[in-house]
Amino acid sequence: QVQLVESGGGLVQPEGSLRLSCAASRSIVSIGDMGWFRQAPGKERELVASISTLGRTNYADSVKGRFTISRDNAKNTVSLEMNKLKPEDTAVYYCNGLVTTTWGAKYDRWGQGTQVTVSS
């Protein structure tokens, strides 16, 4: 199938760290611009960080200096390194972006979402 698969979510204490990963299925030969989004209870989904095909990055003000987005084009993966986590970072995190298949089609795809809970 043409899909993005996320992993790495879990429970972590404040000031702790967590690394999220997003991997493309085997039918995907390359990934384009990608981003990580999150949605907390009672709030709208928001863009946390984005990274272009060539590695240019942007971050939400709330995570600047604490989160780092990266990509590995050879492996078609995108990661989000989260440091100095705060309770307000608690949310479901989603990977999203444009992917190209082995047969030349392009799709916008979302990962299934992974829960990140920051609590003492």
Side-chain angles (χ1 to χ4, degrees):
Q1 291 185 316
V2 182
Q3 61 184 30
L4 300 172
V5 181
E6 301 176 358
S7 62
L11 175 64
V12 64
Q13 295 186 5
E15 299 299 315
S17 299
L18 206 60
R19 183 179 178 87
L20 306 182
S21 296
C22 174
S25 60
R26 289 185 59 82
S27 61
I28 297 173
V29 297
S30 66
I31 56 177
D33 294 348
M34 304 292 292
W36 284 95
F37 293 73
R38 69 185 181 188
Q39 187 165 23
K43 299 182 64 178
E44 294 187 344
R45 188 172 299 184
E46 65 172 339
L47 177 64
V48 177
S50 64
I51 185 167
S52 72
T53 302
L54 297 180
R56 295 185 180 88
T57 59
N58 286 286
Y59 298 91
D61 289 340
S62 59
V63 306
K64 285 182 179 178
R66 299 189 298 120
F67 290 13
T68 301
I69 187 172
S70 61
R71 65 189 294 146
D72 186 332
N73 290 331
K75 297 181 178 180
N76 289 329
T77 59
V78 180
S79 298
L80 184 68
E81 181 72 33
M82 304 183 293
N83 300 308
K84 298 181 179 179
L85 284 161
K86 305 174 181 179
E88 49 263 45
D89 293 319
T90 296
V92 177
Y93 285 71
Y94 301 87
C95 177
N96 166 258
L98 187 67
V99 303
T100 300
T101 66
T102 55
W103 57 93
K106 297 184 183 297
Y107 300 93
D108 181 83
R109 284 288 181 267
W110 290 86
Q112 78 282 3
T114 185
Q115 177 71 47
V116 173
T117 302
V118 185
S119 176
S120 299

